[in-house]
Amino acid sequence: LRELEASQRTLLAEHEERIHLLEMERRRLHNDIQELKGNIRVFCRVRPLLPEERERQRGLPHLHFPPQDPRSLVLTRPDDSQVGRERRAELRYDFSFDRVFLPGASQQEIFQEIQLLVQSALDGYPVCIFAYGQTGSGKTFTMEGPDPPGAPESRGMIPRAVRHLFLGARDLAGKGWQYRFSASFLEIYNDALRDLLLAKGERGSELEIRRLAPDSDELHVPNLTWVPVETEEQVLELLVRAGSQRSVARTGLNERSSRSHSVFQLRIQGEHAARDLRCASSLTLVDLAGSERLEKSGSVGNRLRETQSINSSLSALGLVISALCNKEPHIPYRNSKLTFLLQNCLGGHAK
């Protein structure tokens, strides 16, 4: 019996070693695939027409989706006649993305495209996903879902991503990994940081972005509220709490326009005690404030300052993404609070 027990222990140890090696190989191959697809990707989602828009226009005649190419989008418009130039029936603009989602695309279809990126966060890589577009284009719906929360199929990317991570952590528990998750939610309004998870009526201290240590490139926000989370329902409660405190206002382009960038961050810490292994990463999902043209939005006073701040920070983000794509030696993270805050989520091996 002792000999049998010893042989079984040896066999078990060999199996555990093989499972561990296979898991490490899976992580390596998964990351190789993500890097081949590109650490920076751009998807385009076209929202369906709203009821009041259907009354003004018939369908989307100016948008064309080539049936054999899910990466292309064609925009057309009538040609304005100009003196000295031959008039054409219409002008055509071809755009290419990593993926184009038609107006009928569901929240689940969108999530399937980013699901593997979310998995990278569990594997130890920082992942950051932005919803970018003009005001009223459906960014908050894509990220958080409808307000108030509706059926499970309408849930946005944040609850879906968190659910995927919790399920993945549960599977990895059988391989010896234990994970801890904590969430924060802040907004950047007029280039100032505001904690969205404070209790109602509670005034938080002024938030600033600091380095963890003088010689460290790691950034953090002292005094920001971090809430331990274990279930999707807890995250949904945080979304409702944060949404009730976010800065919104009516403009000439949107009845309820988000006037700030909202940044949801999930801190992920994994540990394999038996092998003394640790991994730490973050998943950041950002619902950017909507860009808008001043002459169309009719913004004045506070709205005007908000619009200028929003457009300035979006321009700074564009410069950072462009510099990362071109592998430039200097990345202008410090041009805005938004890019400085997300510096650790954008450079290096981040997705």
Side-chain angles (χ1 to χ4, degrees):
L1 283 172
R2 286 197 191 98
E3 287 175 5
L4 180 63
E5 184 185 5
S7 68
Q8 293 291 340
R9 284 181 185 278
T10 304
L11 191 62
L12 182 61
E14 288 174 359
H15 279 311
E16 285 178 348
E17 180 66 21
R18 179 167 171 75
I19 287 170
H20 172 70
L21 292 174
L22 287 171
E23 171 60 20
M24 293 298 103
E25 179 70 0
R26 182 203 64 77
R27 292 187 183 210
R28 186 186 68 78
L29 291 173
H30 179 85
N31 188 56
D32 286 348
I33 291 169
Q34 298 315 303
E35 290 194 343
L36 285 170
K37 284 185 170 183
N39 277 355
I40 298 176
R41 298 178 218 169
V42 183
F43 306 131
C44 174
R45 184 183 196 183
V46 181
R47 73 156 169 78
L49 291 172
L50 299 174
E52 58 269 22
E53 291 169 329
R54 287 198 202 99
E55 295 172 9
R56 292 198 304 267
Q57 63 189 72
R58 291 182 178 177
L60 296 165
H62 58 293
L63 287 178
H64 307 276
F65 307 95
Q68 304 304 321
D69 187 1
R71 295 168 172 241
S72 293
L73 174 66
V74 179
L75 179 66
T76 59
R77 69 176 177 85
D79 189 9
D80 299 325
S81 62
Q82 291 182 8
V83 177
R85 186 169 66 81
E86 183 185 347
R87 181 171 180 176
R88 289 170 289 181
E90 63 179 17
L91 295 175
R92 174 189 171 108
Y93 304 92
D94 291 86
F95 295 95
S96 181
F97 300 90
D98 289 287
R99 178 71 192 272
V100 174
F101 294 98
L102 276 62
S106 67
Q107 297 279 66
Q108 177 59 22
E109 286 177 66
I110 308 296
F111 182 68
Q112 279 176 343
E113 194 63 43
I114 67 168
Q115 186 171 319
L116 294 179
L117 290 171
V118 173
Q119 180 62 43
S120 290
L122 204 60
D123 291 347
Y125 296 93
V127 174
C128 187
I129 298 171
F130 295 98
Y132 172 87
Q134 70 190 68
T135 186
S137 57
K139 299 180 298 299
T140 303
F141 175 82
T142 296
M143 283 307 213
E144 300 180 16
D147 182 25
E153 58 268 19
S154 67
R155 286 180 179 175
M157 300 307 105
I158 294 176
R160 288 173 185 272
V162 170
R163 183 169 187 269
H164 180 80
L165 291 175
F166 289 156
L167 290 174
R170 209 173 300 159
D171 289 342
L172 287 170
K175 298 173 183 176
W177 285 92
Q178 295 298 321
Y179 282 90
R180 296 193 309 279
F181 302 92
S182 55
S184 73
F185 220 132
L186 62 80
E187 72 171 357
I188 303 173
Y189 174 75
N190 281 351
D191 223 32
L193 275 58
R194 287 183 57 215
D195 191 341
L196 293 178
L197 294 184
L198 292 172
K200 277 205 170 180
E202 184 182 345
R203 282 181 63 84
S205 54
E206 193 171 320
L207 299 179
E208 289 294 334
I209 305 164
R210 305 283 186 204
R211 295 192 181 278
L212 275 176
D215 58 344
S216 170
D217 287 334
E218 287 289 313
L219 302 173
H220 74 132
V221 181
N223 303 318
L224 179 64
T225 305
W226 286 90
V227 180
V229 288
E230 295 178 356
T231 65
E232 186 184 358
E233 283 64 36
Q234 289 176 328
V235 175
L236 288 171
E237 286 173 16
L238 295 183
L239 286 182
V240 172
R241 193 159 125 197
S244 67
Q245 302 192 61
R246 191 174 175 192
S247 302
V248 296
R250 181 177 182 174
T251 73
L253 291 173
N254 192 357
E255 186 72 28
R256 196 168 184 273
S257 173
S258 301
R259 311 306 291 162
S260 66
H261 309 300
S262 89
V263 182
F264 171 83
Q265 202 153 32
L266 192 72
R267 195 183 279 163
I268 305 164
Q269 293 173 306
E271 183 180 11
H272 195 304
R275 296 181 180 274
D276 196 27
L277 295 174
R278 289 171 183 78
C279 70
S281 64
S282 64
L283 173 67
T284 306
L285 294 143
V286 186
D287 177 13
L288 293 167
S291 60
E292 54 187 43
R293 294 176 184 242
L294 284 172
E295 67 268 19
K296 287 191 176 181
S297 65
S299 299
V300 294
N302 285 341
R303 298 290 88 81
L304 174 63
R305 284 191 292 277
E306 289 168 358
T307 300
Q308 289 170 333
S309 176
I310 289 166
N311 290 347
S312 172
S313 60
L314 291 175
S315 296
L317 176 62
L319 291 173
V320 165
I321 298 295
S322 178
L324 288 168
C325 284
N326 297 328
K327 295 182 168 56
E328 294 176 11
H330 172 68
I331 312 295
Y333 291 118
R334 286 180 173 270
N335 285 7
S336 82
K337 286 275 179 72
L338 174 67
T339 51
F340 188 38
L341 174 69
L342 300 178
Q343 179 175 333
N344 299 140
C345 310
L346 298 177
H349 295 289
K351 321 293 179 200

